[in-house]
Amino acid sequence: MQLQERSTTLTSVIHFHLIHSPSGQGKSAISQTLAERYNQKGILAATFFFDKTSPQRNNPSQFVATLATQLALYIPGLNSRIGDAVGHHPKILDTNLEQQLDKLIIEPFRDFLEEQSQQAAGADSEQANSWIILDGLDECIAPTPNRKEPTELESKKAQLRILELVHKLRSTGLPLSFLISTRPETSIMNHCKQFSNFIK
């Protein structure tokens, strides 16, 4: 099992950790242990544990909404802003995941940080990163109509879409760190190399 890390300075230091190993090597146990440890320290912002046997957790459809809900609970100042976003865009959950990410997480979070920065004018307002843990990315499959079994290619695209959403979140400079566990699927590893340059 390998643990890789890369740090990039944007508005804050952004961390990205990837745990990858074959099935049965304890990746989920590590993710759960770290989630509990970070929660005790007050630095766990959100989690998403993919599970291929669960219709709610085996595809990307609930991914952004789940993270937004947990972030709203973790950061009280985000709660009203995310609520306002839903009020202004009542059909936001019917849009694509990229639009959901913009309206439910990125824009409310930026507004919150801007207000915090203004309130802390003249003081050191650097904010420590909080963690988002995603477990079992390889268990993410493509949603298909009529409960048909998705093809391997469709599921790979769904997994890479999750990585694209994470990459988009990281590129904003929001004070979030990410830990992802997965089997070392070639498509996932190649995608991480291409967009993050943290796998050596």
Side-chain angles (χ1 to χ4, degrees):
M1 182 176 298
Q2 300 178 31
L3 179 64
Q4 306 282 359
E5 176 181 0
R6 176 180 182 263
S7 298
T8 302
T9 301
L10 295 170
T11 57
S12 59
V13 177
I14 305 299
H15 295 280
F16 187 107
H17 296 272
L18 181 71
I19 299 175
H20 56 92
S21 71
S23 297
Q25 299 298 308
K27 297 183 297 297
S28 291
I30 292 173
S31 296
Q32 185 64 45
T33 297
L34 289 174
E36 293 172 359
R37 184 180 302 171
Y38 292 167
N39 187 48
Q40 290 174 353
K41 292 182 177 181
I43 57 173
L44 181 66
T47 63
F48 198 101
F49 282 68
F50 289 98
D51 181 350
K52 61 184 177 183
T53 66
S54 170
Q56 288 75 40
R57 294 192 289 129
N58 68 0
N59 67 81
S61 61
Q62 301 297 317
F63 179 69
V64 175
T66 299
L67 294 191
T69 299
Q70 293 184 39
L71 284 168
L73 294 173
Y74 176 69
I75 304 175
L78 278 181
N79 200 339
S80 61
R81 289 173 173 80
I82 293 175
D84 289 343
V86 174
H88 293 148
H89 308 279
K91 295 185 178 181
I92 186 63
L93 295 181
D94 295 328
T95 64
N96 63 50
L97 295 176
E98 291 73 20
Q99 288 179 295
Q100 291 180 34
L101 191 71
D102 284 334
K103 299 301 181 184
L104 295 180
I105 296 180
I106 294 175
E107 292 178 10
F109 210 148
R110 278 177 169 166
D111 290 345
F112 169 75
L113 291 178
E114 183 177 349
E115 181 178 302
Q116 292 293 103
S117 178
Q118 291 173 353
Q119 292 177 354
D124 183 4
S125 59
E126 183 175 350
Q127 184 169 346
N129 281 20
S130 298
W131 285 88
I132 292 178
I133 294 178
L134 311 179
D135 179 71
L137 177 60
D138 57 282
E139 296 198 28
C140 176
I141 61 177
T144 55
N146 303 321
R147 298 184 179 273
K148 291 182 179 179
E149 189 73 19
T151 66
E152 182 178 354
L153 179 59
E154 288 171 333
S155 292
K156 286 182 178 179
K157 288 182 178 180
Q159 294 159 11
L160 298 187
R161 192 176 188 189
I162 294 294
L163 287 176
E164 288 282 6
L165 293 170
V166 170
H167 178 69
K168 184 174 183 177
L169 261 179
R170 292 180 66 223
S171 69
T172 63
L174 296 175
L176 295 170
S177 296
F178 297 86
L179 183 144
I180 297 178
S181 72
T182 181
R183 290 189 301 175
E185 302 288 353
T186 301
S187 57
I188 292 175
M189 304 303 282
N190 286 342
H191 189 89
C192 289
K193 288 179 182 178
Q194 178 182 356
F195 288 96
S196 299
N197 298 319
F198 63 86
I199 298 176
K200 299 179 180 178

PDB file of all heavy atoms in Angstrom, residues 174-200:
ATOM      1  N   LEU A 174      -9.838  26.695  -2.094  1.00  0.00           N
ATOM      2  CA  LEU A 174     -10.566  26.599  -0.832  1.00  0.00           C
ATOM      3  C   LEU A 174      -9.746  25.769   0.159  1.00  0.00           C
ATOM      4  O   LEU A 174      -9.017  24.861  -0.242  1.00  0.00           O
ATOM      5  CB  LEU A 174     -11.933  25.954  -1.056  1.00  0.00           C
ATOM      6  CG  LEU A 174     -12.905  26.736  -1.946  1.00  0.00           C
ATOM      7  CD1 LEU A 174     -14.174  25.926  -2.185  1.00  0.00           C
ATOM      8  CD2 LEU A 174     -13.242  28.088  -1.332  1.00  0.00           C
ATOM      9  N   PRO A 175      -9.841  26.066   1.455  1.00  0.00           N
ATOM     10  CA  PRO A 175      -9.006  25.380   2.455  1.00  0.00           C
ATOM     11  C   PRO A 175      -9.487  23.960   2.744  1.00  0.00           C
ATOM     12  O   PRO A 175      -9.960  23.640   3.829  1.00  0.00           O
ATOM     13  CB  PRO A 175      -9.133  26.281   3.689  1.00  0.00           C
ATOM     14  CG  PRO A 175     -10.496  26.886   3.556  1.00  0.00           C
ATOM     15  CD  PRO A 175     -10.682  27.115   2.076  1.00  0.00           C
ATOM     16  N   LEU A 176      -9.362  23.097   1.743  1.00  0.00           N
ATOM     17  CA  LEU A 176      -9.801  21.714   1.860  1.00  0.00           C
ATOM     18  C   LEU A 176      -8.679  20.778   1.446  1.00  0.00           C
ATOM     19  O   LEU A 176      -7.975  21.032   0.463  1.00  0.00           O
ATOM     20  CB  LEU A 176     -11.026  21.459   0.980  1.00  0.00           C
ATOM     21  CG  LEU A 176     -12.307  22.209   1.345  1.00  0.00           C
ATOM     22  CD1 LEU A 176     -13.347  22.048   0.243  1.00  0.00           C
ATOM     23  CD2 LEU A 176     -12.858  21.724   2.683  1.00  0.00           C
ATOM     24  N   SER A 177      -8.513  19.701   2.194  1.00  0.00           N
ATOM     25  CA  SER A 177      -7.584  18.637   1.844  1.00  0.00           C
ATOM     26  C   SER A 177      -8.393  17.388   1.522  1.00  0.00           C
ATOM     27  O   SER A 177      -9.492  17.198   2.044  1.00  0.00           O
ATOM     28  CB  SER A 177      -6.628  18.347   3.006  1.00  0.00           C
ATOM     29  OG  SER A 177      -5.813  19.462   3.281  1.00  0.00           O
ATOM     30  N   PHE A 178      -7.832  16.532   0.679  1.00  0.00           N
ATOM     31  CA  PHE A 178      -8.564  15.356   0.216  1.00  0.00           C
ATOM     32  C   PHE A 178      -7.764  14.084   0.432  1.00  0.00           C
ATOM     33  O   PHE A 178      -6.556  14.052   0.195  1.00  0.00           O
ATOM     34  CB  PHE A 178      -8.891  15.486  -1.277  1.00  0.00           C
ATOM     35  CG  PHE A 178      -9.793  16.635  -1.597  1.00  0.00           C
ATOM     36  CD1 PHE A 178      -9.272  17.901  -1.805  1.00  0.00           C
ATOM     37  CD2 PHE A 178     -11.165  16.464  -1.664  1.00  0.00           C
ATOM     38  CE1 PHE A 178     -10.099  18.979  -2.083  1.00  0.00           C
ATOM     39  CE2 PHE A 178     -11.998  17.535  -1.938  1.00  0.00           C
ATOM     40  CZ  PHE A 178     -11.466  18.791  -2.150  1.00  0.00           C
ATOM     41  N   LEU A 179      -8.465  13.050   0.862  1.00  0.00           N
ATOM     42  CA  LEU A 179      -7.900  11.710   0.917  1.00  0.00           C
ATOM     43  C   LEU A 179      -8.836  10.792   0.150  1.00  0.00           C
ATOM     44  O   LEU A 179     -10.041  10.765   0.418  1.00  0.00           O
ATOM     45  CB  LEU A 179      -7.739  11.222   2.354  1.00  0.00           C
ATOM     46  CG  LEU A 179      -7.086   9.842   2.504  1.00  0.00           C
ATOM     47  CD1 LEU A 179      -6.200   9.795   3.741  1.00  0.00           C
ATOM     48  CD2 LEU A 179      -8.131   8.726   2.578  1.00  0.00           C
ATOM     49  N   ILE A 180      -8.284  10.076  -0.825  1.00  0.00           N
ATOM     50  CA  ILE A 180      -9.075   9.155  -1.641  1.00  0.00           C
ATOM     51  C   ILE A 180      -8.444   7.779  -1.566  1.00  0.00           C
ATOM     52  O   ILE A 180      -7.228   7.640  -1.721  1.00  0.00           O
ATOM     53  CB  ILE A 180      -9.135   9.617  -3.109  1.00  0.00           C
ATOM     54  CG1 ILE A 180      -9.833  10.979  -3.215  1.00  0.00           C
ATOM     55  CG2 ILE A 180      -9.866   8.590  -3.969  1.00  0.00           C
ATOM     56  CD1 ILE A 180      -9.890  11.532  -4.626  1.00  0.00           C
ATOM     57  N   SER A 181      -9.260   6.761  -1.333  1.00  0.00           N
ATOM     58  CA  SER A 181      -8.760   5.390  -1.371  1.00  0.00           C
ATOM     59  C   SER A 181      -9.415   4.655  -2.533  1.00  0.00           C
ATOM     60  O   SER A 181     -10.588   4.875  -2.844  1.00  0.00           O
ATOM     61  CB  SER A 181      -9.043   4.660  -0.054  1.00  0.00           C
ATOM     62  OG  SER A 181     -10.419   4.370   0.079  1.00  0.00           O
ATOM     63  N   THR A 182      -8.651   3.786  -3.169  1.00  0.00           N
ATOM     64  CA  THR A 182      -9.142   3.080  -4.343  1.00  0.00           C
ATOM     65  C   THR A 182      -8.240   1.902  -4.670  1.00  0.00           C
ATOM     66  O   THR A 182      -7.085   1.850  -4.244  1.00  0.00           O
ATOM     67  CB  THR A 182      -9.180   4.030  -5.564  1.00  0.00           C
ATOM     68  OG1 THR A 182      -9.677   3.322  -6.703  1.00  0.00           O
ATOM     69  CG2 THR A 182      -7.794   4.572  -5.887  1.00  0.00           C
ATOM     70  N   ARG A 183      -8.775   0.963  -5.407  1.00  0.00           N
ATOM     71  CA  ARG A 183      -7.903  -0.022  -6.033  1.00  0.00           C
ATOM     72  C   ARG A 183      -7.118   0.703  -7.128  1.00  0.00           C
ATOM     73  O   ARG A 183      -7.614   1.678  -7.709  1.00  0.00           O
ATOM     74  CB  ARG A 183      -8.714  -1.168  -6.639  1.00  0.00           C
ATOM     75  CG  ARG A 183      -9.356  -2.076  -5.611  1.00  0.00           C
ATOM     76  CD  ARG A 183      -9.957  -3.307  -6.272  1.00  0.00           C
ATOM     77  NE  ARG A 183     -10.959  -2.953  -7.271  1.00  0.00           N
ATOM     78  CZ  ARG A 183     -11.564  -3.825  -8.067  1.00  0.00           C
ATOM     79  NH1 ARG A 183     -11.259  -5.108  -7.995  1.00  0.00           N
ATOM     80  NH2 ARG A 183     -12.475  -3.425  -8.931  1.00  0.00           N
ATOM     81  N   PRO A 184      -5.919   0.245  -7.445  1.00  0.00           N
ATOM     82  CA  PRO A 184      -5.088   0.958  -8.432  1.00  0.00           C
ATOM     83  C   PRO A 184      -5.515   0.685  -9.869  1.00  0.00           C
ATOM     84  O   PRO A 184      -4.755   0.141 -10.673  1.00  0.00           O
ATOM     85  CB  PRO A 184      -3.683   0.413  -8.144  1.00  0.00           C
ATOM     86  CG  PRO A 184      -3.920  -0.965  -7.623  1.00  0.00           C
ATOM     87  CD  PRO A 184      -5.198  -0.880  -6.806  1.00  0.00           C
ATOM     88  N   GLU A 185      -6.743   1.080 -10.194  1.00  0.00           N
ATOM     89  CA  GLU A 185      -7.217   0.927 -11.565  1.00  0.00           C
ATOM     90  C   GLU A 185      -6.388   1.827 -12.485  1.00  0.00           C
ATOM     91  O   GLU A 185      -6.100   2.982 -12.151  1.00  0.00           O
ATOM     92  CB  GLU A 185      -8.695   1.308 -11.661  1.00  0.00           C
ATOM     93  CG  GLU A 185      -9.620   0.510 -10.751  1.00  0.00           C
ATOM     94  CD  GLU A 185      -9.794  -0.927 -11.213  1.00  0.00           C
ATOM     95  OE1 GLU A 185      -9.303  -1.265 -12.307  1.00  0.00           O
ATOM     96  OE2 GLU A 185     -10.421  -1.710 -10.479  1.00  0.00           O
ATOM     97  N   THR A 186      -6.028   1.312 -13.641  1.00  0.00           N
ATOM     98  CA  THR A 186      -5.154   2.053 -14.552  1.00  0.00           C
ATOM     99  C   THR A 186      -5.728   3.413 -14.917  1.00  0.00           C
ATOM    100  O   THR A 186      -5.009   4.422 -14.929  1.00  0.00           O
ATOM    101  CB  THR A 186      -4.910   1.239 -15.835  1.00  0.00           C
ATOM    102  OG1 THR A 186      -4.301  -0.008 -15.485  1.00  0.00           O
ATOM    103  CG2 THR A 186      -3.996   1.998 -16.791  1.00  0.00           C
ATOM    104  N   SER A 187      -7.026   3.466 -15.206  1.00  0.00           N
ATOM    105  CA  SER A 187      -7.637   4.736 -15.616  1.00  0.00           C
ATOM    106  C   SER A 187      -7.564   5.769 -14.496  1.00  0.00           C
ATOM    107  O   SER A 187      -7.292   6.951 -14.740  1.00  0.00           O
ATOM    108  CB  SER A 187      -9.093   4.509 -16.023  1.00  0.00           C
ATOM    109  OG  SER A 187      -9.829   3.904 -14.971  1.00  0.00           O
ATOM    110  N   ILE A 188      -7.785   5.336 -13.258  1.00  0.00           N
ATOM    111  CA  ILE A 188      -7.730   6.252 -12.119  1.00  0.00           C
ATOM    112  C   ILE A 188      -6.309   6.749 -11.900  1.00  0.00           C
ATOM    113  O   ILE A 188      -6.067   7.950 -11.727  1.00  0.00           O
ATOM    114  CB  ILE A 188      -8.264   5.568 -10.845  1.00  0.00           C
ATOM    115  CG1 ILE A 188      -9.770   5.304 -10.982  1.00  0.00           C
ATOM    116  CG2 ILE A 188      -7.986   6.424  -9.612  1.00  0.00           C
ATOM    117  CD1 ILE A 188     -10.370   4.515  -9.831  1.00  0.00           C
ATOM    118  N   MET A 189      -5.343   5.834 -11.928  1.00  0.00           N
ATOM    119  CA  MET A 189      -3.960   6.212 -11.678  1.00  0.00           C
ATOM    120  C   MET A 189      -3.436   7.145 -12.766  1.00  0.00           C
ATOM    121  O   MET A 189      -2.763   8.139 -12.484  1.00  0.00           O
ATOM    122  CB  MET A 189      -3.084   4.961 -11.581  1.00  0.00           C
ATOM    123  CG  MET A 189      -3.540   3.959 -10.526  1.00  0.00           C
ATOM    124  SD  MET A 189      -3.634   4.646  -8.861  1.00  0.00           S
ATOM    125  CE  MET A 189      -1.906   4.643  -8.425  1.00  0.00           C
ATOM    126  N   ASN A 190      -3.767   6.845 -14.015  1.00  0.00           N
ATOM    127  CA  ASN A 190      -3.316   7.702 -15.110  1.00  0.00           C
ATOM    128  C   ASN A 190      -3.939   9.084 -15.021  1.00  0.00           C
ATOM    129  O   ASN A 190      -3.292  10.096 -15.305  1.00  0.00           O
ATOM    130  CB  ASN A 190      -3.653   7.065 -16.459  1.00  0.00           C
ATOM    131  CG  ASN A 190      -2.756   5.885 -16.787  1.00  0.00           C
ATOM    132  OD1 ASN A 190      -1.684   5.727 -16.197  1.00  0.00           O
ATOM    133  ND2 ASN A 190      -3.182   5.054 -17.720  1.00  0.00           N
ATOM    134  N   HIS A 191      -5.203   9.137 -14.634  1.00  0.00           N
ATOM    135  CA  HIS A 191      -5.882  10.423 -14.510  1.00  0.00           C
ATOM    136  C   HIS A 191      -5.230  11.264 -13.415  1.00  0.00           C
ATOM    137  O   HIS A 191      -5.012  12.465 -13.592  1.00  0.00           O
ATOM    138  CB  HIS A 191      -7.357  10.208 -14.192  1.00  0.00           C
ATOM    139  CG  HIS A 191      -8.176  11.453 -14.262  1.00  0.00           C
ATOM    140  ND1 HIS A 191      -8.779  11.885 -15.420  1.00  0.00           N
ATOM    141  CD2 HIS A 191      -8.485  12.376 -13.317  1.00  0.00           C
ATOM    142  CE1 HIS A 191      -9.433  13.012 -15.183  1.00  0.00           C
ATOM    143  NE2 HIS A 191      -9.270  13.325 -13.913  1.00  0.00           N
ATOM    144  N   CYS A 192      -4.921  10.636 -12.301  1.00  0.00           N
ATOM    145  CA  CYS A 192      -4.278  11.364 -11.206  1.00  0.00           C
ATOM    146  C   CYS A 192      -2.908  11.884 -11.624  1.00  0.00           C
ATOM    147  O   CYS A 192      -2.526  13.002 -11.283  1.00  0.00           O
ATOM    148  CB  CYS A 192      -4.152  10.457  -9.986  1.00  0.00           C
ATOM    149  SG  CYS A 192      -5.715  10.101  -9.161  1.00  0.00           S
ATOM    150  N   LYS A 193      -2.167  11.097 -12.374  1.00  0.00           N
ATOM    151  CA  LYS A 193      -0.859  11.545 -12.856  1.00  0.00           C
ATOM    152  C   LYS A 193      -1.010  12.753 -13.774  1.00  0.00           C
ATOM    153  O   LYS A 193      -0.254  13.717 -13.690  1.00  0.00           O
ATOM    154  CB  LYS A 193      -0.172  10.417 -13.623  1.00  0.00           C
ATOM    155  CG  LYS A 193       0.333   9.281 -12.768  1.00  0.00           C
ATOM    156  CD  LYS A 193       0.968   8.210 -13.642  1.00  0.00           C
ATOM    157  CE  LYS A 193       1.448   7.034 -12.814  1.00  0.00           C
ATOM    158  NZ  LYS A 193       2.028   5.964 -13.658  1.00  0.00           N
ATOM    159  N   GLN A 194      -2.004  12.712 -14.644  1.00  0.00           N
ATOM    160  CA  GLN A 194      -2.186  13.767 -15.629  1.00  0.00           C
ATOM    161  C   GLN A 194      -2.602  15.088 -15.004  1.00  0.00           C
ATOM    162  O   GLN A 194      -2.108  16.147 -15.377  1.00  0.00           O
ATOM    163  CB  GLN A 194      -3.241  13.340 -16.649  1.00  0.00           C
ATOM    164  CG  GLN A 194      -3.543  14.400 -17.711  1.00  0.00           C
ATOM    165  CD  GLN A 194      -4.620  13.951 -18.674  1.00  0.00           C
ATOM    166  OE1 GLN A 194      -5.095  12.825 -18.609  1.00  0.00           O
ATOM    167  NE2 GLN A 194      -5.015  14.837 -19.566  1.00  0.00           N
ATOM    168  N   PHE A 195      -3.512  15.025 -14.022  1.00  0.00           N
ATOM    169  CA  PHE A 195      -4.088  16.256 -13.503  1.00  0.00           C
ATOM    170  C   PHE A 195      -3.494  16.718 -12.186  1.00  0.00           C
ATOM    171  O   PHE A 195      -3.663  17.863 -11.806  1.00  0.00           O
ATOM    172  CB  PHE A 195      -5.599  16.094 -13.337  1.00  0.00           C
ATOM    173  CG  PHE A 195      -6.324  16.071 -14.648  1.00  0.00           C
ATOM    174  CD1 PHE A 195      -6.652  14.874 -15.252  1.00  0.00           C
ATOM    175  CD2 PHE A 195      -6.648  17.247 -15.291  1.00  0.00           C
ATOM    176  CE1 PHE A 195      -7.307  14.848 -16.472  1.00  0.00           C
ATOM    177  CE2 PHE A 195      -7.303  17.237 -16.510  1.00  0.00           C
ATOM    178  CZ  PHE A 195      -7.632  16.029 -17.103  1.00  0.00           C
ATOM    179  N   SER A 196      -2.806  15.826 -11.461  1.00  0.00           N
ATOM    180  CA  SER A 196      -2.308  16.230 -10.156  1.00  0.00           C
ATOM    181  C   SER A 196      -0.797  16.126 -10.019  1.00  0.00           C
ATOM    182  O   SER A 196      -0.208  16.787  -9.182  1.00  0.00           O
ATOM    183  CB  SER A 196      -2.978  15.388  -9.052  1.00  0.00           C
ATOM    184  OG  SER A 196      -4.365  15.585  -9.060  1.00  0.00           O
ATOM    185  N   ASN A 197      -0.174  15.263 -10.823  1.00  0.00           N
ATOM    186  CA  ASN A 197       1.284  15.113 -10.792  1.00  0.00           C
ATOM    187  C   ASN A 197       1.816  14.740  -9.414  1.00  0.00           C
ATOM    188  O   ASN A 197       2.873  15.185  -9.005  1.00  0.00           O
ATOM    189  CB  ASN A 197       1.970  16.409 -11.249  1.00  0.00           C
ATOM    190  CG  ASN A 197       1.630  16.759 -12.672  1.00  0.00           C
ATOM    191  OD1 ASN A 197       1.579  15.896 -13.536  1.00  0.00           O
ATOM    192  ND2 ASN A 197       1.381  18.033 -12.921  1.00  0.00           N
ATOM    193  N   PHE A 198       1.061  13.933  -8.672  1.00  0.00           N
ATOM    194  CA  PHE A 198       1.525  13.583  -7.335  1.00  0.00           C
ATOM    195  C   PHE A 198       1.917  12.124  -7.220  1.00  0.00           C
ATOM    196  O   PHE A 198       2.408  11.694  -6.187  1.00  0.00           O
ATOM    197  CB  PHE A 198       0.460  13.901  -6.277  1.00  0.00           C
ATOM    198  CG  PHE A 198      -0.804  13.112  -6.452  1.00  0.00           C
ATOM    199  CD1 PHE A 198      -0.927  11.855  -5.901  1.00  0.00           C
ATOM    200  CD2 PHE A 198      -1.853  13.626  -7.179  1.00  0.00           C
ATOM    201  CE1 PHE A 198      -2.089  11.126  -6.076  1.00  0.00           C
ATOM    202  CE2 PHE A 198      -3.006  12.895  -7.352  1.00  0.00           C
ATOM    203  CZ  PHE A 198      -3.127  11.646  -6.797  1.00  0.00           C
ATOM    204  N   ILE A 199       1.680  11.324  -8.247  1.00  0.00           N
ATOM    205  CA  ILE A 199       2.069   9.918  -8.191  1.00  0.00           C
ATOM    206  C   ILE A 199       3.414   9.769  -8.869  1.00  0.00           C
ATOM    207  O   ILE A 199       3.589  10.174 -10.006  1.00  0.00           O
ATOM    208  CB  ILE A 199       1.029   9.021  -8.881  1.00  0.00           C
ATOM    209  CG1 ILE A 199      -0.308   9.148  -8.162  1.00  0.00           C
ATOM    210  CG2 ILE A 199       1.482   7.578  -8.897  1.00  0.00           C
ATOM    211  CD1 ILE A 199      -1.411   8.364  -8.826  1.00  0.00           C
ATOM    212  N   LYS A 200       4.369   9.194  -8.186  1.00  0.00           N
ATOM    213  CA  LYS A 200       5.716   9.052  -8.731  1.00  0.00           C
ATOM    214  C   LYS A 200       6.036   7.583  -8.955  1.00  0.00           C
ATOM    215  O   LYS A 200       5.520   6.736  -8.272  1.00  0.00           O
ATOM    216  CB  LYS A 200       6.740   9.670  -7.777  1.00  0.00           C
ATOM    217  CG  LYS A 200       6.507  11.167  -7.552  1.00  0.00           C
ATOM    218  CD  LYS A 200       7.521  11.725  -6.597  1.00  0.00           C
ATOM    219  CE  LYS A 200       7.304  13.208  -6.367  1.00  0.00           C
ATOM    220  NZ  LYS A 200       8.253  13.786  -5.406  1.00  0.00           N
TER     221      LYS A 200
END
